[in-house]
């Protein structure tokens, strides 16, 4: 069965500090992984997906199949990055399975 | 020009009632979904619907039923509401049945008293 684990419920960093939000997954098939973000009072939206290999708002995430991880990183956190972040795994049925989320707070 | 919309935004009702939440997408997508976000912010898929195929998460009680009058709409009907149904329900859509990006609605906060 598939599983997505985000070990940190809460993460606080100072503005300008590096940030890493951890995500580990378990899936027998070929994984499609995503990071979604939910800013305060806004809808859930896609931040990035691993197959795009792109950087969005300074965030990057590399799929490490050996460690079954898809950690989200940003070298210099900004106050506007404060939000709820969800790692998600898509299965062959096109269903997204979400981790429990990490609330990131960037301290000014 | 809202892509995925849901109504109502808030819904407060008594235990035992039957209620519906509507979802509409104007993106021309083929697949729509319903998710439940509980009080701990845990998001869980409930249904996905692609044209004529409905995929149900086996843990969803049969009091919940999706209804799709057409490709642009996937409504969620809930019978005999229970306290534990209180949550935020998100609708989403994606272009096809493959591993596509999903676009989410703003959510409907359901409170069962």
């Amino acid at each position: 069965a598939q599983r997505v684990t985000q070990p940190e419920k809460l993460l606080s960093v100072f503005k300008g500090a590096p940030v890493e939000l951890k995500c580990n997954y378990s899936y027998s098939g070929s994984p499609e992984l995503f990071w979604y973000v939910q800013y305060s009072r806004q809808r859930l939206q896609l931040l990035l997906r691993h197959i795009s290999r792109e950087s969005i708002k300074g965030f990057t995430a590399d799929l490490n199949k050996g460690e079954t991880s898809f950690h989200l990183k940003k070298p210099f956190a900004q106050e506007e990055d404060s939000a709820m972040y969800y790692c998600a795994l898509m299965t062959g049925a096109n269903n997204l399975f979400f981790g429990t989320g990490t609330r990131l707070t960037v301290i000014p | 020009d809202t892509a995925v919309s849901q109504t109502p935004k808030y819904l407060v009702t008594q235990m035992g009632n039957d209620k519906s939440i509507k979802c509409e997408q104007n993106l021309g997508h083929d697949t729509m979904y319903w998710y439940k976000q509980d009080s701990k912010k845990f998001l869980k898929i409930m249904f996905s619907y692609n044209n004529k195929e409905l995929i149900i998460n086996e843990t969803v009680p049969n009091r919940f039923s999706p209804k799709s009058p057409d490709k642009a709409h996937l409504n969620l009907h809930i019978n005999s509401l229970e306290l534990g149904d209180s949550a935020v329900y998100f609708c989403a859509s994606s272009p096809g049945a493959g591993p596509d990006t999903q676009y989410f609605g703003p959510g409907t906060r359901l409170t069962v008293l």
Side-chain angles (χ1 to χ4, degrees), chain B residues 6-45:
Chain B
Q6 295 177 229
T7 53
K9 193 171 181 181
Y10 300 97
L11 181 56
V12 181
T13 187
Q14 300 284 339
M15 254 178 26
N17 284 350
D18 303 337
K19 290 293 177 186
S20 296
I21 305 172
K22 295 185 178 179
C23 177
E24 177 181 1
Q25 54 95 4
N26 62 5
L27 297 166
H29 287 172
D30 287 331
T31 309
M32 296 182 73
Y33 311 82
W34 276 105
Y35 290 85
K36 179 180 179 181
Q37 185 181 44
D38 63 23
S39 57
K40 296 180 181 177
K41 300 290 188 183
F42 183 51
L43 267 165
K44 191 171 183 180
I45 189 160

Side-chain angles (χ1 to χ4, degrees), chain A residues 10-23:
Chain A
L10 303 169
L11 182 62
S12 296
V13 299
F14 285 101
K15 178 182 172 181
V19 61
E20 180 180 50
L21 289 86
K22 292 186 168 51
C23 173

Side-chain angles (χ1 to χ4, degrees), chain A residues 16-32:
Chain A
V19 61
E20 180 180 50
L21 289 86
K22 292 186 168 51
C23 173
N24 288 88
Y25 67 91
S26 173
Y27 181 51
S28 56
S30 182
E32 291 278 350

Side-chain angles (χ1 to χ4, degrees), chain A residues 67-80:
Chain A
E67 295 181 359
T68 59
S69 68
F70 189 56
H71 303 326
L72 183 68
K73 299 177 185 178
K74 184 170 182 176
F76 307 103
Q78 303 298 316
E79 289 179 64
E80 56 266 28

Side-chain angles (χ1 to χ4, degrees), chain A residues 9 32 34 36 38 42-46 49 51 84 86 90-101 103, chain B residues 2-4 31 33 35 37 40-43 45 48 55 57 90 94 96-102 104-106:
Chain A
K9 284 188 178 180
E32 291 278 350
F34 302 75
Y36 279 80
Q38 189 174 25
Q42 293 187 30
R43 67 185 66 195
L44 197 65
Q45 56 187 289
L46 177 70
R49 56 190 298 188
I51 62 172
M84 194 79 179
Y86 293 92
M90 183 167 283
T91 67
N94 205 36
N95 289 335
L96 270 177
F97 290 88
F98 288 87
T100 48
R103 181 173 295 283
Chain B
T2 304
V4 183
T31 309
Y33 311 82
Y35 290 85
Q37 185 181 44
K40 296 180 181 177
K41 300 290 188 183
F42 183 51
L43 267 165
I45 189 160
S48 67
I55 300 173
N57 184 322
F90 288 95
S94 66
D100 297 311
T101 300
Q102 294 186 15
F104 284 79

